[in-house]
């Protein structure tokens, strides 16, 4: 007797099927939350917005934690105001020969790739009221990340990236839930945005 064995499914097919299931579940979840308020193309756009918000929460939480613990805390110039135990005085102590932390390249590439990808997606999306402002925002951000790394100013760049990452966690969260959550939850998330902006972009940034 001949044993006919089914060829094993490739890893790519399995991951693609899992991705399709996840996308369908995510779509149905947000559709169930907001379909009473929106229909048609508007509903689809809102679902995409909510899904992108969830992705941003996960992505920026990871990048903030990685940048803080695997990059900034590995230097001797992370001040207490940025949750470190170093001295800001040493930021340019050995510049331009400052020793790079082992995770710096990965952190920079991850941040740079995000803004390039987000900028390309925005260019090909339907124009809205802030279309050109966001094109300029993504372009300048990617240019600044690239130039700070290539010119050896990563020791300043990591402070700026971490401060932006923390604010974007709250922005992603409020975008993910604002169309179906209670006013209390939206107010709490908005307070998180304002507190992170005041602390990181006003207090810590000018420290």
């Amino acid at each position: 007797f001949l044993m006919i064995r089914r060829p094993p499914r490739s890893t790519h097919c399995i991951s693609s099927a899992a991705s399709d299931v996840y996308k369908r579940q995510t779509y149905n979840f947000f559709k169930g939350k907001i379909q009473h308020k929106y229909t048609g193309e508007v509903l689809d756009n809102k679902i995409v917005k909510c899904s992108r918000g969830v992705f941003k929460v996960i992505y920026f939480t990871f990048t903030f934690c990685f940048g803080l613990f695997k990059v900034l805390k590995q230097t001797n110039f992370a001040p207490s105001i940025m949750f470190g135990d170093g001295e800001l005085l040493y930021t340019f102590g050995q510049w331009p020969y400052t020793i790079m932390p082992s995770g710096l390249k990965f952190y920079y590439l991850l941040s740079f790739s995000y803004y390039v990808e987000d900028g390309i997606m925005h260019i090909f999306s339907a124009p809205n009221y802030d279309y050109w402002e966001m094109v300029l925002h993504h372009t300048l951000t990617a240019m600044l990340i690239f130039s700070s790394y290539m010119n050896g100013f990563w020791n300043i760049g990591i402070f700026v990236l971490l401060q932006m990452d923390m604010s974007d966690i709250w922005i992603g969260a409020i975008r993910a839930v604002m169309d179906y959550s209670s006013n209390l939850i939206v107010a709490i998330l908005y307070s998180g945005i304002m507190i992170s902006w005041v602390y990181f972009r006003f207090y810590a940034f000018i420290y």
Side-chain angles (χ1 to χ4, degrees):
F1 295 96
L2 296 177
M3 298 292 294
I4 301 177
R5 302 180 62 183
R6 179 182 299 175
R9 297 177 64 185
S10 66
T11 305
H12 173 73
C13 293
I14 295 174
S15 61
S16 178
S19 177
D20 291 340
V21 171
Y22 172 76
K23 289 178 181 178
R24 185 164 57 251
Q25 291 176 342
T26 303
Y27 181 89
N28 291 333
F29 173 80
F30 287 118
K31 182 179 179 180
K33 292 286 187 180
I34 61 177
Q35 63 181 350
H36 65 284
K37 296 175 62 176
Y38 308 103
T39 58
E41 186 178 352
V42 176
L43 174 62
D44 290 337
N45 291 336
K46 289 291 184 178
I47 292 174
V48 171
K49 178 182 176 182
C50 292
S51 302
R52 292 283 294 179
V54 173
F55 167 76
K56 287 185 177 183
V57 171
I58 298 172
Y59 171 83
F60 285 114
T61 300
F62 172 78
T63 55
F64 178 81
C65 293
F66 186 89
L68 178 63
F69 293 105
K70 293 297 185 179
V71 181
L72 186 60
K73 279 183 170 289
Q74 304 303 314
T75 68
N76 64 347
F77 53 80
S80 58
I81 198 173
M82 288 295 293
F83 317 113
D85 53 3
E87 290 290 340
L88 196 63
L89 179 67
Y90 301 136
T91 304
F92 286 100
Q94 297 176 320
W95 189 88
Y97 306 108
T98 309
I99 299 175
M100 292 184 178
S102 58
L104 177 73
K105 186 175 182 179
F106 173 78
Y107 179 59
Y108 251 76
L109 285 175
L110 190 64
S111 300
F112 179 71
S113 63
Y114 170 82
Y115 286 103
V116 171
E117 180 270 340
D118 209 36
I120 293 173
M121 282 194 61
H122 185 76
I123 290 173
F124 291 101
S125 63
N128 51 19
Y129 66 94
D130 63 347
Y131 179 82
W132 291 109
E133 289 87 344
M134 293 307 298
V135 169
L136 181 64
H137 169 269
H138 293 312
T139 302
L140 291 178
T141 304
M143 289 175 60
L144 287 171
I145 295 173
F146 178 80
S147 61
S148 68
Y149 182 83
M150 295 302 293
N151 289 288
F153 287 104
W154 59 266
N155 47 356
I156 297 298
I158 55 176
F159 287 110
V160 179
L161 286 173
L162 285 172
Q163 291 162 15
M164 292 195 303
D165 288 349
M166 173 52 72
S167 299
D168 285 332
I169 294 172
W170 295 98
I171 293 173
I174 200 169
R175 286 180 175 176
V177 304
M178 65 183 301
D179 285 311
Y180 58 87
S181 292
S182 64
N183 292 335
L184 176 61
I185 293 178
V186 174
I188 291 173
L189 294 176
Y190 182 75
S191 299
I193 294 175
M194 298 308 299
I195 292 172
S196 65
W197 268 67
V198 170
Y199 182 82
F200 285 101
R201 303 199 182 195
F202 292 103
Y203 179 57
F205 189 73
I206 63 177
Y207 177 72

